[in-house]
Amino acid sequence: WSFQPGLSFLQKGGKDSQDGTDADLSLNYLELPLNIVFHADRKKGGFTAGAGPCLSYALSGKAKITDNGVTISQTLHFGNSSSDDLKPFEFGGNVLAGYEFANGLFLTANYNFAFSNIATDSQSKFKNNYFGIRIGFVIPDKRH
């Protein structure tokens, strides 16, 4: 078992269509996953699986809205100054599974799901979810 925190820059967002209006959102986040990971056999290589909470902070965002053939782009704002703002903090969960090779290289697939609603008005619901693939390297522990 190991504790596997991380820090990532991610782009989240999505597309939505309602009544002939299309919206495409692109949100930039710093994300801190705090995973507990099980490793089958690190010395020989093997499968890994884990889960944990995830904290995200929005850095910036853009929206592209198309209505009746007219497209406008606008910068999204984070905070509570208007009902159009989005909340900057997001709390979610993360599950992962992958394979760690004997040389320390690993390949992991993860699914992240938001618990918190980032819309500031009480009528809207906006939660980020995503599937990701990570490639990395585990630095060997020389104490053992």
Side-chain angles (χ1 to χ4, degrees):
W1 292 93
S2 69
F3 174 60
Q4 222 176 49
L7 185 62
S8 301
F9 172 79
L10 295 173
Q11 192 169 72
K12 302 178 184 183
K15 296 179 181 186
D16 189 27
S17 292
Q18 291 182 9
D19 302 324
T21 301
D22 298 325
D24 187 358
L25 301 178
S26 178
L27 309 169
N28 297 313
Y29 280 88
L30 268 183
E31 185 172 270
L32 179 67
L34 303 168
N35 295 314
I36 301 294
V37 180
F38 170 77
H39 305 269
D41 185 355
R42 272 200 156 151
K43 292 187 193 296
K44 295 179 184 176
F47 288 97
T48 62
C54 192
L55 306 169
S56 299
Y57 182 76
L59 301 172
S60 63
K62 293 205 177 280
K64 189 167 101 175
I65 301 165
T66 303
D67 187 21
N68 292 323
V70 177
T71 301
I72 61 166
S73 294
Q74 67 185 54
T75 300
L76 297 174
H77 300 281
F78 298 91
N80 291 319
S81 60
S82 81
S83 63
D84 291 335
D85 286 356
L86 297 173
K87 295 175 186 172
F89 287 101
E90 183 178 60
F91 178 68
N94 195 46
V95 293
L96 60 96
Y99 192 84
E100 187 174 307
F101 298 91
N103 64 1
L105 183 69
F106 66 85
L107 178 63
T108 304
N110 72 297
Y111 181 71
N112 182 285
F113 47 93
F115 295 128
S116 59
N117 181 10
I118 62 170
T120 54
D121 66 357
S122 58
Q123 291 83 14
S124 298
K125 187 175 184 182
F126 185 27
K127 295 182 177 186
N128 286 305
N129 301 304
Y130 71 85
F131 174 78
I133 296 176
R134 297 173 193 246
I135 298 171
F137 183 77
V138 175
I139 299 170
D141 185 357
K142 299 292 185 188
R143 295 178 290 172
H144 293 102

